Amino acid sequence: MSPIRALIDREALRANLRTLRRAAQGARVMAVIKANAYGHGITDVAATLASGDAESRADAYAVARLDEALELRAAGIHSPIVLLEGVFDAGQLAEAARHALEIVVHDESQLAWLEAYSGAHAFKIWLKVDTGMNRLGFRPEQLSAVHQRLTRLRVPLAELRLMTHLARADELEVDMTAAQVARFETLRSHWPGTPPVTSIGNSAGILFWPAARGQWVRPGISLYGVSPSAARDATSLGLAPVMSLDSRVVALRRVPAGETVGYGGSWQARRESRIAIVAAGYGDGVPRHLPSGTPVLIDGVRAPLAGRVSMDMIAVDVTDLPTTTCGSVARLWGPGLPVEEIAAAAGTIAYEVLCGVSRRVVREWV
Ligand SMILES: Cc1ncc(COP(=O)(O)O)c(C=O)c1O
């Protein structure tokens, strides 16, 4: 068995959902579990958040693609599931109907497939409005015509809801979020008839912008214990890391002063050094761009990465940790070493690092 493991902390996941539910003050929680639940394992995350006490249970799940939703249904998840990008063709619309999936409608092509749909299913639809992100969604001025077309479908909708997505909610000093919320609120309040159920907030919306929530919130990264903003650390937000990427020291060597370590010889020993080789590399999802000096926890103590990350291994300078032995635990991130810090060292964000944990890494629930 390979020594590398992604330990997934079930109680931390539940505690984070509880924290977010309280922060969202009564809004219902749609747990965003796309991209294999940000690397944590989509079916196990869904099953965990479908059990437990009422406060730590998700009210619905959100995924990006039909295959993700079908995997959940096949695993026996009966909760509401929302397809955040909607369907990509008419065939997918029929599949979505068969599995009672809620669909986002953001584009003319999706409207046309709904109008041509010949089945009997009454869809629950999240109509997406673009309030400034300029990625998915109808522009505000298109909404009235789109709404009218949706009211004329052969099979009336089970429900029409309204959503938008925030572009800069992680930037606490930037006023774009307030402008997006104001645009959304204008649309909602001028809705013909009963105002629709709404959803606005992602993690940053929930945690930093009380007006940017709606009746449903959509937390992703914060569920996994990661801060959605560089301006705040996860602990201060009451979030606990869910994943630890742990491996072991598999070899130890003495490197004379002046010699180099690894591909490209980018790290050179300034003194006689003790180097620990750890079974973890970019083939597991350790970012290759991590520079020498990036911390690795060896038996709980920080030691610097020495040289380039290889596919299956890294080297760590443990000269100052004389108790390190073969078999010592090496933590790449997790409690004691935030994944946000590792992502920043690699010039990326924790979202990408977590999603990048590869298939060969066993997820072990603890
Ligand atoms: C439409 C939508 N809602 C919610 C989320 C969750 O965002 P976060 O992970 O920042 O909470 C995402 C993630 O990309 C998204 O695309």
Side-chain angles (χ1 to χ4, degrees):
M1 289 281 267
S2 154
I4 190 163
R5 291 272 175 286
L7 305 178
I8 314 291
D9 184 336
R10 198 181 297 275
E11 282 316 310
L13 179 64
R14 289 189 172 131
N16 292 337
L17 194 133
R18 228 176 276 129
T19 299
L20 291 160
R21 185 181 287 290
R22 285 187 197 138
Q25 294 187 327
R28 306 193 79 192
V29 178
M30 186 190 298
V32 179
I33 57 172
K34 60 197 171 111
N36 199 25
Y38 292 44
H40 293 66
I42 187 168
T43 53
D44 290 320
V45 166
T48 300
L49 297 180
S51 58
D53 60 274
E55 249 204 318
S56 64
R57 231 176 289 146
D59 301 301
Y61 297 108
V63 296
R65 309 273 161 80
L66 179 67
D67 332 9
E68 296 173 320
L70 297 186
E71 189 179 346
L72 291 171
R73 287 286 185 252
I77 301 294
H78 303 299
S79 314
I81 300 176
V82 180
L83 291 181
L84 287 176
E85 292 177 39
V87 293
F88 299 130
D89 57 45
Q92 288 201 352
L93 190 63
E95 273 295 278
R98 200 162 15 256
H99 294 279
L101 306 177
E102 299 179 15
I103 51 176
V104 168
V105 173
H106 59 77
D107 186 74
E108 168 63 34
S109 56
Q110 295 173 326
L111 264 184
W113 296 324
L114 273 170
E115 287 170 332
Y117 173 70
S118 58
H121 181 69
F123 284 97
K124 192 178 272 186
I125 280 185
W126 290 88
L127 183 57
K128 186 159 189 176
V129 53
D130 177 11
T131 51
M133 174 95 165
N134 274 310
R135 191 175 65 175
L136 295 183
F138 294 99
R139 296 185 67 85
E141 62 271 20
Q142 296 178 289
L143 221 55
S144 166
V146 170
H147 181 212
Q148 280 184 21
R149 282 172 68 182
L150 287 171
T151 58
R152 290 197 294 259
L153 295 177
R154 198 179 49 76
V155 182
L157 294 177
E159 192 178 341
L160 181 61
R161 296 175 169 180
L162 198 61
M163 69 178 285
T164 194
H165 192 45
L166 303 170
R168 302 182 67 179
D170 58 316
E171 297 171 87
L172 312 191
E173 310 298 328
V174 170
D175 51 15
M176 181 165 181
T177 300
Q180 285 195 264
V181 171
R183 258 173 238 140
F184 189 76
E185 182 49 32
T186 301
L187 292 166
R188 192 198 66 86
S189 58
H190 289 91
W191 200 256
T194 317
V197 166
T198 58
S199 174
I200 308 177
N202 54 0
S203 297
I206 299 164
L207 292 164
F208 308 131
W209 303 90
R213 289 176 190 143
Q215 286 137 295
W216 282 82
V217 290
R218 308 188 305 272
I221 196 74
S222 53
L223 265 183
Y224 309 104
V226 174
S227 170
S229 170
R232 293 288 300 274
D233 66 79
T235 312
S236 74
L237 297 168
L239 302 170
V242 174
M243 183 195 289
S244 305
L245 188 66
D246 281 7
S247 189
R248 294 203 175 264
V249 172
V250 295
L252 273 162
R253 57 195 311 106
R254 192 186 60 78
V255 176
E259 291 195 9
T260 63
V261 168
Y263 289 122
S266 67
W267 186 89
Q268 187 174 36
R270 284 183 288 107
R271 55 180 174 172
E272 172 157 311
S273 302
R274 211 163 154 253
I275 296 294
I277 306 300
V278 172
Y282 61 78
D284 301 300
V286 178
R288 187 179 166 279
H289 289 105
L290 289 176
S292 285
T294 302
V296 177
L297 284 186
I298 303 290
D299 289 331
V301 182
R302 287 179 178 228
L305 185 70
R308 284 192 195 157
V309 173
S310 332
M311 187 181 290
D312 315 298
M313 281 170 277
I314 54 171
V316 181
D317 179 4
V318 294
T319 314
D320 297 327
L321 301 180
T323 57
T324 304
T325 59
C326 271
S328 283
V329 175
R331 171 160 293 175
L332 283 302
W333 59 77
L337 186 52
V339 66
E340 294 95 316
E341 184 179 339
I342 300 304
T348 183
I349 53 176
Y351 295 75
E352 187 185 15
V353 173
L354 292 174
C355 287
V357 175
S358 72
R359 211 161 58 99
R360 77 176 181 184
V361 176
V362 171
R363 273 73 169 169
E364 195 174 298
W365 286 73
V366 293

